Amino acid sequence: MKKFFMSILFAGSALFGQQIKFDEYTLPNGLHVILHQDNSAPVITTGVMYHVGSKDEQVGKTGFAHFFEHLLFEGTENINRGEWFKIVSAHGGSNNANTTTDRTYYYETFPSNNLELGLWMESDRLRQPIINQIGVDTQKEVVKEEKRSRLDNQPYGKFSYGEAVNPHVFKKSGYRWSVIGSFEDLSNAKLDDFKHFSQTYYVPNNAVLVVAGDFNKDEAKKLIEKYFGVIPKGKDVVKTVIKEDPITSEVRATEYDANIQIPLLAINYRTPDNKSKDAYALEMLSNYLTGGKSSILYKKYVDEKKEALQIFAFNRQMEDYGIYSIGILPQGEVPFDKLENELQQDIEKVQTTLISEEDYQKILNGIENSFVASKSGVENLAHALADAYMLGGDTNLINNELKIYQSITREDIRNVAKKYLNKNQRVIIHYLPESKKAAK
């Protein structure tokens, strides 16, 4: 059964160029609903995304959004503690949740005869979760262990999860701390703190429900009304974009990691929000610079000059801002100063010279392929639809996003490099082995 279920999970893929059809509406309590019907395989995903992430937390109370990713599996008024995963697996399903700086997402994927079960479980999680001291204490230890394994004891973990980068790029907004938060904040948090967070953000008018896969729309709408329509609307969730002061002079910082032996040079820039067309152009620039072994910087530093073991560039897109990072792991004793100067020359080249038509077409081809792959299967589609609505501001972005990439010109790619990747906007981080700190 499990093998069969996994094989059909990726069936019903959206073909390249094919419009993804969906219906959407909003219940009187403010819950937004998106329905994507695909009867090509007997599988269904129900997902609920809440518009709350780590950036919505307060100083001294970080990590709450990620903590709830765990806490809300503790149980509800109708689902006993420890039973959530048993119910899902007993019905041939799978489930998970994830948190970012901007939203938290929960979902189940079942054989399609379990549509009602998925809707009931998610509605009960929203309507009447159990938030008690036993669950809070248990999940505190779970989250602390996750932080130890993924961040504190993982090579380059503090860089990957933003703890070694975000505080140097952001000074005012909640983007300045990592999604997972701090031990101290979680240890000091009281039960009432978590109850208040739940009552503030886990309300239908701060959420979107997505149902994708093999179902009947009329039946789904009746079930959604039955289970979600009775949940009272919460207080309006007021979100304010905290404006950061522009970075006008270079910032330099040193971070240490006891889990590494090879240092990392990271050059970072603050970039615009994920809705900006510039964010798409920066993504294309990343593909040009380090997107695979044939990319311009990989060939130069890894293959030809043998100065680096690895090099990467990516634009981390978020709701209010982004971070563009260029990272390089030096080969042997190649000094950071040398790499930094050479990389600056490479950046200045893309600021002044158009990339070739051949390279431009290669970037587009790669984006088109990855775009189609990322929308394959109802589980991925449900997630993408929720993201498009909540973070993109338009559910139909799922159909228009590729067109945005295709509308970006070589001049646009050059212009974003000129606009955002300047020397006086750099945040340069020397990410070093802990032994270097002792030697210093």
Side-chain angles (χ1 to χ4, degrees):
M1 172 65 188
K2 184 176 180 182
K3 184 176 180 181
F4 167 74
F5 179 63
M6 292 306 294
S7 69
I8 63 174
L9 180 60
F10 297 99
S13 300
L15 299 176
F16 175 70
Q18 181 179 357
Q19 291 286 295
I20 296 169
K21 296 180 180 179
F22 58 88
D23 293 345
E24 61 182 333
Y25 60 96
T26 303
L27 296 177
N29 61 10
L31 178 72
H32 195 74
V33 179
I34 301 171
L35 304 177
H36 167 68
Q37 184 176 336
D38 179 356
N39 302 113
S40 60
V43 62
I44 191 165
T45 293
T46 54
V48 179
M49 183 174 287
Y50 297 90
H51 202 175
V52 57
S54 58
K55 81 157 188 290
D56 301 298
E57 298 157 357
Q58 302 173 15
V59 175
K61 295 181 180 179
T62 65
F64 275 43
H66 173 258
F67 187 80
F68 266 74
E69 175 193 318
H70 294 264
L71 184 63
L72 292 192
F73 283 103
E74 277 287 309
T76 72
E77 292 290 342
N78 293 305
I79 301 173
N80 293 332
R81 185 167 183 266
E83 292 297 311
W84 187 283
F85 297 100
K86 294 178 182 178
I87 293 172
V88 172
S89 62
H91 289 81
S94 63
N95 63 262
N96 213 330
N98 52 72
T99 311
T100 71
T101 55
D102 302 303
R103 92 295 177 278
T104 310
Y105 181 57
Y106 305 80
Y107 64 93
E108 296 77 35
T109 300
F110 284 114
S112 54
N113 61 338
N114 290 294
L115 168 64
E116 185 167 6
L117 175 64
L119 292 173
W120 172 73
M121 292 183 76
E122 284 299 341
S123 66
D124 217 45
R125 179 178 1 225
L126 170 57
R127 185 182 187 185
Q128 46 194 7
I130 295 295
I131 299 176
N132 58 24
Q133 197 63 53
I134 295 175
V136 165
D137 290 344
T138 300
Q139 295 306 324
K140 278 185 179 181
E141 295 308 312
V142 171
V143 171
K144 286 179 180 180
E145 183 54 37
E146 181 181 355
K147 186 176 187 294
R148 292 186 191 101
S149 63
R150 290 191 179 184
L151 197 154
D152 296 335
N153 298 321
Q154 182 76 18
Y156 307 99
K158 290 193 293 183
F159 177 82
S160 300
Y161 281 84
E163 192 172 90
V165 179
N166 294 22
H168 306 296
V169 178
F170 301 105
K171 298 299 180 184
K172 295 182 177 181
S173 71
Y175 287 133
R176 67 187 187 271
W177 49 75
S178 69
V179 171
I180 207 166
S182 74
F183 276 1
E184 183 179 7
D185 288 355
L186 286 178
S187 296
N188 293 336
K190 306 300 182 185
L191 179 61
D192 284 345
D193 296 327
F194 295 112
K195 288 183 176 180
H196 176 73
F197 195 84
S198 175
Q199 292 162 3
T200 301
Y201 294 108
Y202 282 81
V203 292
N205 42 303
N206 196 47
V208 56
L209 165 68
V210 180
V211 181
D214 180 30
F215 64 92
N216 175 276
K217 286 182 185 177
D218 290 337
E219 178 192 4
K221 288 179 179 180
K222 290 177 182 177
L223 291 172
I224 290 167
E225 177 61 35
K226 175 182 177 180
Y227 290 115
F228 287 91
V230 296
I231 302 174
K233 180 179 179 180
K235 292 182 180 179
D236 290 338
V237 179
V238 179
K239 285 179 171 278
T240 303
V241 177
I242 298 175
K243 295 290 186 181
E244 295 278 351
D245 296 327
I247 299 173
T248 56
S249 59
E250 183 182 86
V251 176
R252 287 183 176 268
T254 303
E255 295 281 348
Y256 297 94
D257 188 334
N259 306 297
I260 67 171
Q261 295 180 338
I262 301 171
L264 165 67
L265 170 65
I267 304 173
N268 309 276
Y269 310 83
R270 191 190 302 148
T271 52
D273 64 86
N274 64 322
K275 298 183 187 70
S276 168
K277 186 177 179 179
D278 284 354
Y280 291 88
L282 285 162
E283 187 66 27
M284 295 180 74
L285 176 61
S286 298
N287 285 327
Y288 171 72
L289 293 176
T290 64
K293 294 185 177 180
S294 64
S295 60
I296 191 77
L297 295 189
Y298 189 95
K299 286 192 297 184
K300 175 181 176 179
Y301 289 95
V302 179
D303 288 343
E304 298 169 4
K305 302 188 75 171
K306 311 292 185 185
E307 292 181 342
L309 296 169
Q310 186 58 268
I311 187 166
F312 59 84
F314 64 92
N315 186 44
R316 183 186 176 195
Q317 297 182 27
M318 298 178 287
E319 189 174 21
D320 300 336
Y321 288 101
I323 302 176
Y324 194 93
S325 296
I326 301 173
I328 188 165
L329 297 176
Q331 175 81 269
E333 298 299 321
V334 179
F336 276 180
D337 288 349
K338 176 179 173 59
L339 294 172
E340 185 182 306
N341 291 333
E342 290 183 359
L343 282 169
Q344 182 58 33
Q345 293 175 21
D346 294 319
I347 291 168
E348 290 173 358
K349 184 174 181 180
V350 294
Q351 289 176 326
T352 56
T353 307
L354 291 177
I355 66 174
S356 70
E357 283 282 4
E358 181 181 0
D359 284 331
Y360 173 74
Q361 193 57 52
K362 186 174 75 170
I363 294 169
L364 273 183
N365 292 342
I367 286 174
E368 289 169 357
N369 289 336
S370 62
F371 183 85
V372 173
S374 70
K375 305 300 184 291
S376 297
V378 295
E379 195 170 280
N380 289 337
L381 271 174
H383 193 168
L385 284 162
D387 267 340
Y389 168 76
M390 185 162 284
L391 301 183
D394 178 10
T395 311
N396 204 42
L397 186 64
I398 198 168
N399 290 314
N400 294 331
E401 192 169 33
L402 189 56
K403 297 174 185 176
I404 297 174
Y405 280 115
Q406 292 168 335
S407 73
I408 292 169
T409 65
R410 294 185 298 152
E411 288 78 10
D412 292 330
I413 295 172
R414 180 191 62 192
N415 291 341
V416 292
K418 290 169 65 175
K419 185 174 182 180
Y420 300 106
L421 309 188
N422 294 303
K423 288 185 71 173
N424 67 319
Q425 298 167 307
R426 300 189 301 185
V427 177
I428 297 178
I429 297 172
H430 289 188
Y431 193 82
L432 307 178
E434 188 76 25
S435 58
K436 296 290 185 181
K437 186 177 184 180
K440 188 176 179 181

